[in-house]
Amino acid sequence: MTNNKIDPASLELVKYPDPRLRRKCVEVAEFDEWLATVVRRMFEIMYASRGVGLAGPQVGLNLRLFVCNPTANPGHEQEMVVVNPALSDMVGAEEDEEGCLSLPDVHGLVLRAKKIHIRAFDAAGRPIDREGEGLLARIWQHETDHLDGVLITDRFGEAAKLACRRT
């Protein structure tokens, strides 16, 4: 069964060390009802897990797609669907603690750009062209990493890596 034929109702949170978390994802080619249903299911999973972002590979889909909401409040106006993202114009640097729904109980300091530009599409295929800063910029970078098979532990400094080994 191909990615675009998976029943969205069957999607569940994928946790490390599942190899699907390490795959570079393919671009979404069709903006259809299936994709809209997947997006709704991804928001359900994200909110049930108390997250602010969730990427395709985290639900077993090898697709360049993520959902996010920095408020973590369902239905809030900051809900965003991001398909086939491209990040650019990264400005500044800020180290802050990050966690990941696919790596429960793992947290560490990650250096990210403070402000970035994103170009992508929404679930209906409409273009997105925005600037983001602070938490929103961090979420975009974190979720885009997932689409490239990169996990937060890959971004940890040595101290954070050692702390994770002790837990």
Side-chain angles (χ1 to χ4, degrees):
M1 189 175 260
T2 61
N3 251 347
N4 64 351
K5 300 299 179 190
I6 293 171
D7 178 9
S10 71
L11 297 177
E12 294 181 346
L13 186 61
V14 170
K15 295 183 181 171
Y16 182 83
D18 191 303
R20 293 175 289 181
L21 294 170
R22 288 297 191 174
R23 293 189 190 130
K24 185 166 173 79
C25 295
V26 299
E27 289 200 345
V28 173
E30 292 183 47
F31 296 84
D32 55 12
E33 185 55 38
W34 178 82
L35 183 64
T37 305
V38 163
V39 163
R40 285 191 297 275
R41 178 67 182 135
M42 287 177 69
F43 274 118
E44 289 172 5
I45 293 166
M46 181 184 83
Y47 291 130
S49 303
R50 303 166 82 80
V52 293
L54 187 69
Q58 292 181 278
V59 293
L61 297 174
N62 188 36
L63 295 172
R64 296 190 72 77
L65 156 74
F66 68 82
V67 298
C68 67
N69 180 349
T71 71
N73 295 322
H76 191 275
E77 63 190 27
Q78 288 192 46
E79 276 188 352
M80 188 174 183
V81 177
V82 179
V83 180
N84 301 336
L87 304 179
S88 64
D89 303 324
M90 297 183 178
V91 177
E94 184 173 60
E95 192 172 53
D96 205 351
E97 186 170 301
E98 285 186 28
C100 180
L101 298 177
S102 292
L103 293 134
D105 303 320
V106 173
H107 297 83
L109 294 175
V110 178
L111 186 66
R112 301 274 188 195
K114 285 184 179 182
K115 185 176 179 181
I116 61 170
H117 186 254
I118 191 168
R119 283 198 173 99
F121 298 93
D122 67 13
R126 294 180 297 254
I128 296 169
D129 192 344
R130 285 186 56 185
E131 299 283 330
E133 57 186 301
L135 179 59
L136 184 60
R138 182 168 291 277
I139 294 167
W140 290 350
Q141 292 168 84
H142 178 110
E143 301 308 332
T144 300
D145 272 355
H146 275 298
L147 306 182
D148 294 326
V150 176
L151 300 175
I152 58 170
T153 51
D154 300 329
R155 301 253 183 228
F156 285 175
E158 287 307 310
K161 287 179 183 176
L162 286 171
C164 286
R165 286 190 195 121
R166 281 190 239 124
T167 59

